Amino acid sequence: MSAGLKRIIYLLHKYLSLALVTVWSVQILSGVILVFAPEINDQRYGGGQAPLDIAAVTRSIEAHHAANPDWSPELVFTTHAKSSRFDVYSYHENSNRIGSRAIRIDGNGEILADRRMKYDFLNRISELHETLWINGWGYILLGVSGILLLSNMVVGLYLIWPHRQRWGSYFKLDSSRPLVFRRLQLHRLLGLIFVLPGIYIVGTGIANMWLGDMKVAFGDPWAAPPAVTERAPAEEILLSLPDAMEIAWQEYPGATLSIVTLPSNEAPYYTIRLRQNGEVREIYGNTKLWVDAVNGQVLGNVDQLNAGVKASIFSSFFALHMGQPFGLAGKIIFFLTGTALLVLSVYGVLLWLTRSSMKSNARTKS
């Protein structure tokens, strides 16, 4: 590689980092906080030991709605693959302004928490990580900046690769050298150690961020069939949640409940997501059923284990980005990688400021 081309690549790496360091730092910091968010919430609210009694959970949902008629329960999310806690999200007619409300219910129907999600710290951090709190196009900004971050990390690896015979010297930090040199040493060391896991995390994050667009471009393997999309409104919901779940579990014995979208008169069907053993996702499986809330008919059915290659690939994005196949060790590595990337960002800016100051002083003296 010519010296001129190497210089161009180096300048691209430097100035791209400086231009987007704030966006990248926000994205990385929020991701680091969220690595252990499920465990943090488990400690905050407890529960999860009671065996699942879906009828008791349903009674708690109905009782909460009766006591808070302005809030309509719409979504039920499991909180852990191996427990029976659920977060039930309710919405107000002014939810666009005041946000949603989530009650955490244990498997025996006990209400463990009642939260306004607009004021829940970890929920707000999750929204920041996914949208930068920018409605509509925040995910686009993050998707583009993620691609640039990934390319910048690849450029950094490309720049450091020719020096691989000297990589061992990067581990010998010299405290006697000037501060700017020590920062450069640490910057190189962290970059060497964490560039590959960083590329993995950012790459899978980009795939996850653009999943919706990929489903539009290549087809959605979990799309609702015409029997669902063309289902006419109904005057009354007759099928209870326990009965709908019984139908789902008859179809997939042994599967665990992931998510339920509750029916309404306008959309009189349950959308039920289950997780079967063998699915790559740890918590939210992608086996999906649509059950008519009037007559119990199965309107649609997607068996994730037999849904084809595209469904398997798309389903893997979130799990891989969260490190789910690697267990606790993966979460620890992800946490350390995110922390290292933050330090790299800070030290990169400090190095630039120091060098700029040194060049300015040199020009002044000359």
Side-chain angles (χ1 to χ4, degrees):
M1 181 175 60
S2 68
L5 179 58
K6 186 175 181 179
R7 176 67 176 169
I8 292 173
I9 293 175
Y10 170 77
L11 292 174
L12 176 65
H13 177 71
K14 180 172 72 172
Y15 289 111
L16 189 60
S17 298
L18 291 171
L20 293 170
V21 65
T22 301
V23 175
W24 291 345
S25 296
V26 169
Q27 185 74 350
I28 295 167
L29 177 59
S30 58
V32 167
I33 295 172
L34 292 172
V35 168
F36 292 104
E39 290 79 5
I40 293 171
N41 277 335
D42 287 348
Q43 292 300 313
R44 288 169 72 188
Y45 306 121
Q49 303 304 315
L52 175 58
D53 182 347
I54 194 66
V57 171
T58 301
R59 286 194 295 270
S60 290
I61 295 173
E62 293 172 347
H64 187 273
H65 179 45
N68 302 273
D70 292 337
W71 292 87
S72 299
E74 294 184 14
L75 294 168
V76 180
F77 283 82
T78 188
T79 63
H80 198 281
K82 298 179 180 179
S83 77
S84 59
R85 285 179 298 251
F86 295 91
D87 282 333
V88 181
Y89 286 80
S90 298
Y91 296 87
H92 192 275
E93 63 179 8
N94 294 322
S95 278
N96 288 337
R97 179 175 57 85
I98 64 176
S100 62
R101 183 173 183 172
I103 56 170
R104 177 160 292 203
I105 303 178
D106 208 359
N108 58 6
E110 178 187 359
I111 294 181
L112 304 172
D114 186 349
R115 296 167 286 163
R116 294 286 295 275
M117 299 308 287
K118 186 175 181 178
Y119 306 105
D120 184 86
F121 174 73
L122 288 176
N123 182 66
R124 293 294 287 163
I125 292 297
S126 178
E127 292 174 351
L128 177 66
H129 187 69
E130 295 174 0
T131 67
L132 286 178
W133 295 338
I134 302 173
N135 292 329
W137 56 274
Y139 88 97
I140 298 176
L141 174 60
L142 287 176
V144 172
S145 71
I147 292 172
L148 294 174
L149 175 57
L150 178 64
S151 64
N152 201 45
M153 296 173 74
V154 172
V155 167
L157 180 60
Y158 182 77
L159 290 173
I160 205 173
W161 181 255
H163 307 287
R164 56 191 177 277
Q165 293 181 347
R166 295 194 289 113
W167 284 355
S169 65
Y170 292 176
F171 292 86
K172 301 174 182 177
L173 301 178
D174 189 349
S175 60
S176 65
R177 302 297 294 272
L179 178 61
V180 63
F181 186 82
R182 280 181 280 150
R183 286 174 176 168
L184 178 60
Q185 280 187 306
L186 185 58
H187 189 82
R188 286 176 174 174
L189 175 61
L190 291 176
L192 173 63
I193 295 173
F194 291 103
V195 65
L196 289 180
I199 287 173
Y200 169 88
I201 293 171
V202 174
T204 54
I206 293 168
N208 196 56
M209 184 70 66
W210 292 104
L211 176 58
D213 298 272
M214 282 189 267
K215 288 193 290 187
V216 171
F218 301 108
D220 185 352
W222 309 290
V228 173
T229 58
E230 297 172 4
R231 177 65 169 88
E235 294 183 0
E236 187 177 4
I237 303 300
L238 300 178
L239 190 73
S240 68
L241 175 58
D243 289 339
M245 289 308 308
E246 184 63 29
I247 292 170
W249 278 319
Q250 286 177 0
E251 194 77 24
Y252 296 101
T256 56
L257 173 58
S258 294
I259 304 172
V260 178
T261 302
L262 299 174
S264 65
N265 294 99
E266 293 73 25
Y269 51 83
Y270 293 87
T271 303
I272 301 172
R273 278 176 56 177
L274 304 172
R275 182 187 181 277
Q276 301 183 73
N277 289 330
E279 290 194 42
V280 66
R281 297 191 65 163
E282 180 184 29
I283 299 177
Y284 302 121
N286 275 316
T287 295
K288 198 170 184 179
L289 292 96
W290 293 265
V291 179
D292 194 296
V294 176
N295 57 27
Q297 178 185 356
V298 176
L299 302 175
N301 187 346
V302 178
D303 180 353
Q304 175 63 26
L305 297 182
N306 296 291
V309 175
K310 180 169 60 178
S312 298
I313 293 174
F314 283 1
S315 182
S316 71
F317 291 165
F318 181 82
L320 293 174
H321 182 58
M322 297 299 291
Q324 291 174 355
F326 314 115
L328 179 60
K331 288 197 169 191
I332 293 173
I333 292 172
F334 278 32
F335 181 85
L336 294 176
T337 300
T339 303
L341 292 176
L342 284 174
V343 175
L344 280 167
S345 299
V346 172
Y347 268 39
V349 173
L350 291 175
L351 283 169
W352 175 73
L353 291 173
T354 302
R355 287 176 169 176
S356 298
S357 178
M358 292 171 64
K359 290 179 181 178
S360 178
N361 291 338
R363 285 194 297 266
T364 301
K365 292 179 180 178
S366 64

